[in-house]
Amino acid sequence: MLATPALLGFGTGLSLIVAIGAQNAFILRQGITRQHVWVAIIICMLSDIVLISAGIAGLGALIERAEWIMSAARIGGALFLALYALFALRRALSPTSMATKNSPSESSAWRVALTTLALTWLNPHVYVDTVLLLGSIGNSFAGARWQFGAGAIVASLVWFMALGVGSRYLARIFAKPRAWQLLDGFICLFMLYFAIRLILPLF
């Protein structure tokens, strides 16, 4: 039983994070050019730990005061997942390749760090995914919300490490629109499944 929220958190977190985005494109590019990729990876991982934990903790305190928020979290989370599924479907129907050309000059560790921080903390989409979306879904599990949060955090750690370390191989694959089309198709189905599972207890 305790493993279920963690697995759901891992799956939901992974489904959100693998979508094409500024963070992923930057880490992929740094990995290909071998320019301080671990600086970017560590910053992204630590940022997600803070943001996901904040989402779980913040909404968790509200749920303890008002039980009706749990139902609202389920509805909101399901709507968000359904919306992301539609976005993934749209990307799958109109796939685009990712630009991953080598940088013309060496970037310093500080420049990579500042760029990563900007792409993470100045991107509103990051807050929607972590604090709002994962926080809302996680708190629908009430007492097991931290297991869900832990699963989402592990998904973030695994993805960023895999993306950074395997970027030289992933670049050849995901430079092709077909690869992203298949991946986004999987994300669409995955999110629809969890949206339905999340809202079913209300009926």
Side-chain angles (χ1 to χ4, degrees):
M1 288 294 294
L2 293 179
T4 301
L7 290 175
L8 291 175
F10 183 88
T12 305
L14 197 62
S15 294
L16 291 174
I17 201 171
V18 298
I20 299 176
Q23 277 183 321
N24 291 341
F26 185 71
I27 290 179
L28 185 58
R29 186 176 296 108
Q30 295 309 120
I32 294 170
T33 59
R34 302 180 184 180
Q35 294 183 18
H36 309 292
V37 64
W38 278 104
V39 173
I41 291 173
I42 292 173
I43 289 175
C44 286
M45 291 192 301
L46 291 177
S47 296
D48 271 12
I49 290 174
V50 172
L51 290 167
I52 294 172
S53 297
I56 299 294
L59 290 180
L62 293 177
I63 288 179
E64 292 177 357
R65 299 179 182 179
E67 296 183 359
W68 61 268
I69 295 182
M70 182 180 297
S71 297
R74 286 187 176 277
I75 295 173
L79 290 175
F80 269 116
L81 287 175
L83 183 61
Y84 270 91
L86 290 176
F87 288 156
L89 178 61
R90 186 176 64 180
R91 291 194 302 267
L93 295 177
S94 301
T96 57
S97 60
M98 178 181 293
T100 56
K101 295 182 180 179
N102 293 343
S103 300
S105 60
E106 179 73 19
S107 297
S108 67
W110 280 109
R111 183 176 180 180
V112 172
L114 291 175
T115 302
T116 307
L117 287 170
L119 291 174
T120 302
W121 293 91
L122 298 181
N123 183 2
H125 188 74
V126 171
Y127 295 95
V128 172
D129 282 352
T130 55
V131 178
L132 183 56
L133 179 54
L134 290 177
S136 297
I137 298 173
N139 277 281
S140 69
F141 291 97
R145 62 182 181 272
W146 285 108
Q147 280 117 16
F148 179 92
I153 288 173
V154 171
S156 174
L157 302 183
V158 170
W159 172 254
F160 283 128
M161 285 192 291
L163 182 61
V165 174
S167 56
R168 69 184 65 181
Y169 307 107
L170 292 173
R172 297 180 180 179
I173 298 174
F174 288 101
K176 302 176 181 179
R178 179 62 175 174
W180 285 107
Q181 186 177 37
L182 294 175
L183 184 60
D184 282 326
F186 170 78
I187 292 173
C188 175
L189 295 176
F190 198 89
M191 289 192 175
L192 282 178
Y193 167 76
F194 282 113
I196 295 172
R197 179 159 184 170
L198 188 63
I199 204 170
L200 275 180
L202 297 179
F203 297 96

